[in-house]
């Protein structure tokens, strides 16, 4: 936001959705409900591959173009 990254709203929303999903996993575990390791693993893998390696790369490129990194 400080550097007026044009995709900030979408990026922030993706992080909020990540936190909501993690909270859902925690709630299910706290309630004694089944959480399959494969479900958590797939979620984390998707986040790593699609968000960190793709979405975060876009803001990294933006910062580089602005001379901030």
């Amino acid at each position: 936001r400080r550097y007026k990254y044009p995709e900030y709203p979408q990026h922030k929303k993706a992080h909020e959705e990540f936190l909501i999903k993690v909270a859902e996993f925690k709630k299910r575990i706290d309630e004694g409900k089944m959480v399959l390791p494969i479900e958590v693993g797939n979620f984390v893998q998707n986040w790593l591959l699609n968000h960190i390696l793709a979405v975060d790369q876009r803001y990294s490129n933006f910062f580089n173009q602005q001379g901030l990194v």
Side-chain angles (χ1 to χ4, degrees):
R1 192 170 47 182
R2 179 178 177 186
Y3 296 104
K4 302 194 181 349
Y5 177 55
E7 294 183 39
Y8 173 77
Q10 301 94 319
H11 196 98
K12 183 175 186 298
K13 182 178 181 194
H15 280 260
E16 290 168 349
E17 290 170 353
F18 175 85
L19 293 174
I20 288 168
K21 185 65 176 178
V22 170
E24 288 173 5
F25 284 136
K26 182 181 182 319
K27 181 179 181 211
R28 286 171 47 198
I29 291 167
D30 290 347
E31 292 174 348
K33 295 180 180 173
M34 182 185 289
V35 176
L36 298 174
I38 191 75
E39 180 182 8
V40 176
N42 286 340
F43 172 73
V44 171
Q45 180 182 18
N46 181 55
W47 180 262
L48 291 172
L49 294 176
N50 294 322
H51 185 84
I52 293 175
L53 295 178
V55 177
D56 284 350
Q57 187 62 43
R58 290 198 303 265
Y59 83 72
S60 178
N61 292 338
F62 173 80
F63 288 159
N64 286 333
Q65 291 169 357
Q66 304 302 310
L68 299 171
V69 178

